[in-house]
Amino acid sequence: MNLNNVLAAIFIGLALTLTRGQENLEAQDASTILDLEEVIVTATRTERQLSSLPLPVTLISKKQLQKTGVIRLDEILNEQTGIITVADESGFEGIQMQGIASDYILILIDGVPLVGRSSGNFDLSRLTVGNIKQIEVVKGPSSSLYGSEALGGVVNIITETPKDSSLAGEVSYRLASFNTHDANINIKQKKNQFGYSLFANTLASDGYDLRPDVEGQTVNPFNNYTLNGQVVYDFDESLKLFSSARYYYQNQDAVLAVDEEVFEGSSDINEFNAHLRADHYASKKLNFQYEFYYTKYKASELLESPISEDVFSQSEFDQDLLRPEIRASYTIKPNHVITTGLGYNHENLDRTFFDEQITFNSQYVYAQYDFYPFEKLNVILGARFDNHSEYQSQFSPKFSANYSLSSAISVKGSVGYGFKAPDFRQLYFDFTNSAVGYTVLGYNVAVEKIQELDAQGQLSDILFTPSALEEPLKPESSVGYNFGLAYNRGKLKTELNFFRNDFENLIDTRIIARKTNGQNVFSYTNFSKIYTTGLEVNTQYKIDERLTFSGGYQLLFAKDKEQKEALEEGTVFARDPQTLQTIALDNSDYFGLVNRSRHTANFKIFYDVPNWKANINLRINYRSKYGLFDSNGNGILDDFDTSFVDGYALTNIALNKTFYNNYTVQLGANNLFDYTDNENIPSLAGIQAFVKLNIQF
């Protein structure tokens, strides 16, 4: 048995025997007892104590970010229960939560959305953690508050705001493997009514190469920069102004070898966000928020021959979003709060493979009632209505409840509807692979483009009638259920959550025509029905003020309902590699959806030595085997497929020592045992040692 299998058995055993929970809020107004370390706003759009929420929520504090030594958002999310980053078929990485893919997870910064996705995935490594106050993760459908893209959950990054009257700040520098340099400077001050902050980060690396026999590197050299500034002004106790601007830039080398010819170039990303919000406290019971937000994401890539200067590929991606919103919160009486909001989205996308710039417009309104019908029961009722220019209107309700069985035990549950609108790519894409010859068309342009290809004599067969594409492409939808128990007494915190998400009208590609070159023409359609279900266990056991153990485990089943029906009917076959005979498969042979692991787990130890002003932590993350694709061509991922990636465990360690109160030195290593899989997991670079100096002033 290898090291990874031993670690996996240990971690799963610990995670199943230890469980973690939340403190119970019992018949008190949450706003009057808020623990500043555990206040969360994403789940309800109002300040609530984490332990009182009737939803599965993860809170990652600044203290945890500093101790672990992570520098990008994807690194810390990978250490949370039920959350991993995975690569899709195109190689782009995104977050997966409760088995739900990145396309359906909304990414926010200070409560407003970020744009710019590759094949539906949002690149979390774009976000540095240097100025983050906390990260809030809400699992399950959240469309009742956030609309499309929140079908599977929300990740909200809360940045630090100036509070202290004296000038404060910090500078840090981190040197890591692969000649990786990360540097931060953070300055903030609030004097009387006026406050400001300025944050800057730079990250540069030589990249790494897991396959020296192949031209180019696995990850090419890159450098990026983040600038973030905030200005706050308190006119008086009833009116406060918040403004923020963020700019991100990245440049990365690009190399591609095709038929012994090497093409070189670079890719560039420019991102800008501007956020303005006024908080108006009209009375003790009524407050308003007036918000204006604009964001722009632009990416470009060029690959050309350095000898002939022939261009192999050139692409542009330019997206922007404008969103004003008004929110109101009214306290009817203690523990009875109504929150309402309305807003407007105006979104543009101009990119290569689109005939013209595409514009989406939508209007939305939502309402939520957070109340205690009696002393031990908290209920949240919410709903949102979205009206969109390109798809049918959506109504998204949600119900959540938390019941206190005792001072230590609470029961919580929620059920909600989520949706995701068809994106620009699924509606307007017009792409032909020049090397292979296949074509992918968006749903709204498919009929017109097929007619053009047919008139040019490029088609041998058309597999649909025009009337089949007359109805608009439907939004993808899901009903999500979460039910759990929480225990908190003394040194032990425990939480157990059962979840299920049923998806309908999932959008996927289908063949709509065949070309004379033997390749296919694909478009998008609604047809898939899938589900993800399982359980999550989280644990924290605090032996004393110095030593804390925590662990988490997720059991996941993610399957296609139509494939299960086909298996039950005995119409799916595979060849047994031992007998070489073709056999009918049943549900026991069905592994599930690609890129989903049945088991994931984490185990963490944090140890503080106050007398030495030092601390050390060890974090281990395990992922069981998963399949990449259907290798035997029968349409499902079954136990006879050969595309499975073996399970593995990654170990991270960090040691912090503070000198003279303001100087902290950090030593650490990620992927301590140097695990790599150059064929299947190019994002694992091997062991990454680092040293960091942080100076506070």
Side-chain angles (χ1 to χ4, degrees):
M1 182 177 289
N2 64 29
L3 176 63
N4 287 326
N5 291 335
V6 173
L7 290 173
I10 294 173
F11 305 147
I12 293 175
L14 285 170
L16 288 173
T17 54
L18 296 176
T19 47
R20 172 190 169 198
Q22 300 175 342
E23 298 179 6
N24 176 49
L25 178 67
E26 189 174 25
Q28 300 182 60
D29 184 353
S31 64
T32 65
I33 64 166
L34 292 178
D35 177 355
L36 293 180
E37 291 294 327
E38 292 197 345
V39 172
I40 188 167
V41 298
T42 309
T44 63
R45 284 191 180 263
T46 59
E47 289 189 344
R48 285 289 304 267
Q49 189 162 348
L50 173 64
S51 57
S52 71
L53 287 167
L55 303 166
V57 177
T58 299
L59 177 64
I60 306 168
S61 67
K62 180 178 178 65
K63 185 181 296 185
Q64 183 178 349
L65 295 172
Q66 291 175 328
K67 285 185 175 182
T68 56
V70 298
I71 59 173
R72 309 310 266 193
L73 182 61
D74 57 326
E75 297 175 353
I76 193 65
L77 289 180
N78 269 322
E79 297 187 357
Q80 311 308 310
T81 303
I83 303 174
I84 55 175
T85 56
V86 299
D88 64 8
E89 296 84 350
S90 304
F92 297 111
E93 280 202 329
I95 187 175
Q96 186 187 105
M97 187 186 302
Q98 291 187 344
I100 302 172
S102 173
D103 308 49
Y104 312 102
I105 310 299
L106 181 62
I107 309 299
L108 306 173
I109 184 166
D110 291 322
V112 290
L114 294 170
V115 300
R117 291 173 178 257
S118 298
S119 299
N121 288 325
F122 186 95
D123 180 11
L124 297 171
S125 67
R126 279 161 44 189
L127 298 167
T128 178
V129 302
N131 67 330
I132 291 179
K133 173 188 173 184
Q134 64 187 42
I135 302 165
E136 302 174 358
V137 182
V138 180
K139 298 177 181 178
S142 299
S143 294
S144 62
L145 284 176
Y146 295 100
S148 181
E149 293 184 8
L151 180 151
V154 176
V155 177
N156 190 10
I157 301 111
I158 310 294
T159 60
E160 291 184 297
T161 55
K163 292 182 178 180
D164 298 329
S165 59
S166 58
L167 180 65
E170 60 184 350
V171 294
S172 67
Y173 172 72
R174 182 182 189 264
L175 176 64
S177 303
F178 314 116
N179 196 28
T180 301
H181 304 263
D182 181 83
N184 293 312
I185 181 169
N186 194 4
I187 300 172
K188 52 190 175 181
Q189 182 181 22
K190 187 175 183 183
K191 195 167 185 179
N192 299 324
Q193 298 167 295
F194 177 76
Y196 68 93
S197 69
L198 179 63
F199 170 78
N201 167 265
T202 178
L203 173 64
S205 175
D206 287 347
Y208 57 88
D209 190 8
L210 298 177
R211 301 186 64 181
D213 56 315
V214 177
E215 187 70 33
Q217 295 187 187
T218 305
V219 171
N220 291 310
F222 67 88
N223 58 80
N224 60 51
Y225 308 91
T226 302
L227 295 174
N228 190 191
Q230 291 184 2
V231 173
V232 297
Y233 188 81
D234 300 342
F235 292 92
D236 52 39
E237 290 299 319
S238 65
L239 184 60
K240 303 178 186 295
L241 182 69
F242 167 87
S243 61
S244 174
R246 173 179 170 270
Y247 176 72
Y248 172 83
Y249 170 76
Q250 175 172 290
N251 174 265
Q252 184 169 22
D253 293 346
V255 178
L256 179 67
V258 179
D259 297 331
E260 299 184 355
E261 184 175 4
V262 177
F263 297 90
E264 298 177 353
S266 66
S267 64
D268 294 276
I269 295 174
N270 289 271
E271 182 180 10
F272 174 73
N273 321 110
H275 186 190
L276 180 65
R277 186 183 71 239
D279 298 311
H280 178 209
Y281 301 91
S283 67
K284 290 183 178 180
K285 293 187 175 183
L286 179 64
N287 65 76
F288 296 93
Q289 286 188 327
Y290 310 96
E291 191 169 67
F292 183 86
Y293 175 66
Y294 175 77
T295 182
K296 184 178 183 65
Y297 175 89
K298 187 173 183 178
S300 61
E301 183 177 71
L302 174 64
L303 280 170
E304 60 183 355
S305 170
I307 300 175
S308 64
E309 297 186 352
D310 291 338
V311 174
F312 177 79
S313 68
Q314 184 173 8
S315 63
E316 300 284 341
F317 185 104
D318 191 350
Q319 183 179 10
D320 58 49
L321 169 68
L322 176 68
R323 194 190 79 172
E325 181 175 302
I326 300 174
R327 295 187 292 273
S329 180
Y330 181 70
T331 303
I332 301 173
K333 59 182 180 180
N335 300 319
H336 290 252
V337 180
I338 293 178
T339 302
T340 61
L342 59 90
Y344 169 76
N345 285 323
H346 178 80
E347 190 172 5
N348 297 302
L349 177 60
D350 190 4
R351 65 170 296 184
T352 308
F353 313 124
F354 281 24
D355 286 346
E356 58 185 4
Q357 177 177 289
I358 307 301
T359 299
F360 283 175
N361 291 291
S362 65
Q363 307 83 35
Y364 59 88
V365 58
Y366 59 86
Q368 175 184 268
Y369 184 27
D370 184 351
F371 66 104
Y372 282 78
F374 54 88
E375 187 177 16
K376 294 186 177 182
L377 178 64
N378 176 216
V379 175
I380 301 178
L381 301 173
R384 171 168 163 149
F385 179 79
D386 286 82
N387 178 53
H388 198 278
S389 61
E390 295 295 326
Y391 61 86
Q392 62 191 36
S393 301
Q394 293 292 302
F395 178 71
S396 309
K398 189 170 185 177
F399 167 83
S400 307
N402 185 1
Y403 182 75
S404 301
L405 295 174
S406 69
S407 60
I409 303 174
S410 62
V411 180
K412 58 182 64 180
S414 67
V415 56
Y417 172 86
F419 80 96
K420 180 184 178 296
D423 60 31
F424 290 104
R425 171 176 49 97
Q426 293 162 342
L427 294 178
Y428 295 100
F429 207 41
D430 181 7
F431 169 75
T432 297
N433 184 288
S434 57
V436 180
Y438 67 86
T439 296
V440 183
L441 300 174
Y443 185 89
N444 286 7
V445 300
V447 174
E448 177 186 349
K449 297 299 179 181
I450 285 294
Q451 292 173 346
E452 291 180 4
L453 291 173
D454 192 32
Q456 296 167 4
Q458 296 191 40
L459 299 182
S460 62
D461 195 10
I462 298 176
L463 306 178
F464 75 101
T465 59
S467 60
L469 298 181
E470 288 180 355
E471 292 293 325
L473 197 61
K474 297 177 182 177
E476 300 169 289
S477 63
S478 169
V479 177
Y481 308 86
N482 285 273
F483 176 79
L485 297 170
Y487 175 84
N488 176 21
R489 174 164 289 177
K491 299 178 180 180
L492 179 64
K493 294 182 179 181
T494 299
E495 185 176 77
L496 172 67
N497 182 58
F498 297 90
F499 63 86
R500 182 178 175 98
N501 299 281
D502 287 283
F503 291 79
E504 290 191 356
N505 295 321
L506 285 191
I507 299 173
D508 207 342
T509 56
R510 66 164 175 171
I511 300 172
I512 61 172
R514 291 193 174 92
K515 305 175 78 172
T516 54
N517 63 2
Q519 295 296 320
N520 295 319
V521 179
F522 299 88
S523 188
Y524 298 89
T525 188
N526 299 108
F527 63 84
S528 295
K529 294 182 179 181
I530 69 167
Y531 68 88
T532 70
T533 188
L535 64 88
E536 296 171 331
V537 183
N538 277 299
T539 303
Q540 179 178 301
Y541 186 74
K542 196 169 186 178
I543 294 179
D544 54 34
E545 292 301 318
R546 295 178 299 174
L547 182 60
T548 301
F549 291 90
S550 65
Y553 168 74
Q554 177 182 265
L555 173 67
L556 173 68
F557 296 91
K559 298 188 176 183
D560 188 309
K561 295 179 182 179
E562 295 179 355
Q563 291 176 349
K564 286 189 67 177
E565 291 175 359
L567 286 164
E568 291 169 358
E569 294 169 357
T571 59
V572 182
F573 302 90
R575 174 169 291 186
D576 189 323
Q578 295 181 346
T579 65
L580 299 181
Q581 294 183 348
T582 300
I583 59 174
L585 303 183
D586 58 33
N587 273 315
S588 65
D589 301 307
Y590 182 26
F591 186 83
L593 301 180
V594 300
N595 229 334
R596 270 77 170 180
S597 294
R598 185 69 45 80
H599 310 281
T600 55
N602 61 77
F603 179 67
K604 305 170 187 176
I605 303 174
F606 285 83
Y607 184 67
D608 290 312
V609 189
N611 292 338
W612 293 357
K613 295 182 180 179
N615 63 78
I616 188 171
N617 59 82
L618 178 72
R619 297 110 54 210
I620 307 169
N621 303 288
Y622 170 74
R623 181 182 185 186
S624 68
K625 75 171 187 176
Y626 57 95
L628 293 177
F629 57 90
D630 166 32
S631 62
N632 55 21
N634 60 4
I636 73 166
L637 186 65
D638 58 69
D639 292 335
F640 298 107
D641 279 305
T642 59
S643 67
F644 283 98
V645 179
D646 292 334
Y648 60 92
L650 302 178
T651 301
N652 304 325
I653 189 171
L655 169 66
N656 299 274
K657 175 70 173 78
T658 300
F659 300 90
Y660 307 109
N661 296 322
N662 296 330
Y663 300 85
T664 300
V665 175
Q666 184 177 69
L667 301 174
N670 295 329
N671 195 0
L672 184 63
F673 296 108
D674 198 27
Y675 179 82
T676 59
D677 183 344
N678 57 11
E679 292 291 335
N680 301 307
I681 319 176
S683 59
L684 286 180
I687 186 172
Q688 301 167 60
F690 62 86
V691 58
K692 178 180 178 181
L693 174 63
N694 186 85
I695 304 173
Q696 293 185 324
F697 57 87

